[in-house]
Amino acid sequence: MNELIKKLVEAYGPSGFEDGMRDLIRPEIEKYVDEISVDAMGNLIALKKGDGSGLKVMIAAHMDEIGVMVSHITKEGFLRFTNIGGVYPHTLMGGRVQFANGLIGVVHCDRLEDRGKVHPLEKYFIDVGATSREDCPVSVGDAAGFVRPFLAQGSRLTAKSMDDRIGCVVAIEALKKLKKTPHDVYFVFSVQEEVGTRGAQASANGLSPDVGIALDVTGVGDVPEARPMDISLGKGAAIKVKDTGMIAHVGLVRLMKKRAEEAGIPYQLEVLEGGSTDARSIQIANAGSAAGCISIPCRYVHSPSEMVDAGDVEASINLLVEILANPIEL
Ligand code: CO
Ligand code: ZN
């Protein structure tokens, strides 16, 4: 599975620029689904048909990643940029970003008046080796993602964009393992989550599922001076109860816990005090749905080195399979 993770986390795909991601994921799932389509926004939607006795279920994992977009080019050829999604300035210094055509830029900052202070995004710039605006190979409006190689060290897996490529991996691996299901399951590899769960909103409006489950990362409370939170790396899949955008359907949370316990899958209960997922959009699309989320615990979310545990990834895959292979009684 590390091969698939490496392929997806190292790929380019800031919000709104997910074409390459879609091309990578499609061949991974094609032979395990009955129908596959792409909607107007670019969501990749794959249907695995049920036996007619179950519900309409939407699973969402977002293909996009945070990144930057060129807003202005100085006459010396340096790029000023704006954020795509939640980019924190203190994660940028000395980092590298990559554009769609493979061109790499180094990120640096204007002269620091105060080295103890985090400077706002407008003080940062990208150097792609240009010497003037005229010879700059990048245009205003071009988007870049961060660059960082995938690292597997023991059970800890680290990369940029574990958020949410690891959710995509959970969806793909669950599809491979799911032999039969009573439900019509729509696996949506969504776009533009990082700028406000926009892709999932459109696809949930189109599909009107009975049940919606997002697969995404969650924060943890197990690093120095973290905000107290009962989630640790390596202690299992996280079943979301609440985040800033939603309260998960209580019946679905109950069912997730039951399935985990029956199958002996390690799990933790998640109350996330900062952030939300595609599940929020699915919950309130059209007349609403029973929505929840299986979260993969992740350290250093929205930094170029996001870390997950392989055991938690495995637990998340197994939990999703147990839910989909059995009746969903809410
Ligand atoms: Co995110
Ligand atoms: Zn995410």
Side-chain angles (χ1 to χ4, degrees), residues 62 163-164 193-194 216:
H62 68 90
D163 175 14
D164 184 30
E193 191 273 352
E194 295 292 357
D216 209 334

Side-chain angles (χ1 to χ4, degrees), residues 23 30 69 112 200 207 248 254 274 295:
D23 294 344
E30 235 153 17
M69 182 181 278
L112 300 174
L207 294 170
R254 196 186 309 127
S295 303

Side-chain angles (χ1 to χ4, degrees), residues 62 64-66 86 163-164 193-194 216-217 276 301-302 306:
H62 68 90
D64 63 311
E65 62 182 341
I66 56 169
D163 175 14
D164 184 30
E193 191 273 352
E194 295 292 357
D216 209 334
V217 298
S276 195
V301 175
H302 287 202
E306 300 175 328

Side-chain angles (χ1 to χ4, degrees), residues 7-330:
K7 185 155 59 163
L8 297 194
V9 294
E10 289 185 352
Y12 170 91
S15 310
F17 301 83
E18 300 92 350
D19 310 36
M21 284 305 302
R22 204 164 47 236
D23 294 344
L24 278 181
I25 293 173
R26 197 182 182 121
E28 297 290 336
I29 58 174
E30 235 153 17
K31 61 176 183 284
Y32 305 100
V33 296
D34 299 295
E35 287 169 22
I36 197 157
S37 62
V38 177
D39 70 11
M41 277 192 78
N43 296 295
L44 178 65
I45 303 175
L47 166 64
K48 183 163 176 72
K49 281 190 182 145
D51 61 14
S53 71
L55 301 176
K56 188 194 258 193
V57 181
M58 173 173 163
I59 304 297
H62 68 90
M63 298 188 285
D64 63 311
E65 62 182 341
I66 56 169
V68 298
M69 182 181 278
V70 178
S71 56
H72 169 72
I73 302 171
T74 70
K75 62 180 195 310
E76 298 83 10
F78 295 99
L79 319 174
R80 295 290 187 179
F81 57 90
T82 187
N83 59 305
I84 297 176
V87 174
Y88 307 128
H90 57 270
T91 63
L92 293 175
M93 191 72 141
R96 295 172 193 187
V97 295
Q98 185 165 33
F99 290 88
N101 64 3
L103 184 76
I104 288 183
V106 172
V107 188
H108 207 79
C109 188
D110 297 353
R111 183 166 61 88
L112 300 174
E113 301 292 350
D114 177 357
R115 284 175 185 273
K117 197 172 125 218
V118 176
H119 291 69
L121 211 57
E122 61 259 32
K123 294 276 188 196
Y124 288 78
F125 57 82
I126 299 167
D127 183 343
V128 289
T131 54
S132 70
R133 190 183 293 152
E134 288 65 41
D135 81 354
C136 185
V138 172
S139 305
V140 168
D142 285 356
F146 297 99
V147 179
R148 202 61 60 111
F150 172 64
L151 169 72
Q153 200 158 244
S155 68
R156 305 300 205 209
L157 312 176
T158 305
K160 63 129 182 130
S161 308
M162 280 294 177
D163 175 14
D164 184 30
R165 307 289 166 71
I166 200 66
C168 296
V169 169
V170 169
I172 293 166
E173 294 296 324
L175 248 177
K176 292 179 186 167
K177 281 184 125 175
L178 185 65
K179 299 287 175 259
K180 271 173 64 182
T181 172
H183 315 290
D184 283 338
V185 189
Y186 292 85
F187 286 84
V188 177
F189 296 88
S190 62
V191 296
Q192 300 195 32
E193 191 273 352
E194 295 292 357
V195 290
T197 65
R198 294 175 191 167
Q201 186 173 345
S203 51
N205 279 328
L207 294 170
S208 285
D210 303 306
V211 172
I213 299 173
L215 309 169
D216 209 334
V217 298
T218 185
V220 294
D222 68 347
V223 294
E225 297 194 39
R227 177 195 285 209
M229 184 182 183
D230 267 355
I231 297 284
S232 305
L233 233 57
K235 291 195 176 162
I239 296 173
K240 189 186 293 291
V241 181
K242 180 187 184 296
D243 64 23
T244 355
M246 77 177 304
I247 294 166
H249 187 279
V250 288
L252 187 56
V253 170
R254 196 186 309 127
L255 179 95
M256 286 182 178
K257 285 159 68 177
K258 185 169 164 227
R259 293 285 179 252
E261 278 158 21
E262 284 166 353
I265 298 165
Y267 74 93
Q268 327 176 51
L269 294 173
E270 173 202 347
V271 176
L272 177 67
E273 292 185 78
S276 195
T277 72
D278 278 344
R280 171 191 161 76
S281 282
I282 307 172
Q283 183 175 51
I284 55 177
N286 290 333
S289 68
C293 182
I294 298 175
S295 303
I296 303 97
C298 185
R299 289 180 181 168
Y300 326 123
V301 175
H302 287 202
S303 82
S305 290
E306 300 175 328
M307 182 188 289
V308 301
D309 186 89
D312 298 339
V313 177
E314 205 65 55
S316 302
I317 296 165
N318 293 338
L319 178 56
L320 182 59
V321 171
E322 285 300 319
I323 292 163
L324 296 178
N326 292 293
I328 297 178
E329 290 139 0
L330 300 172

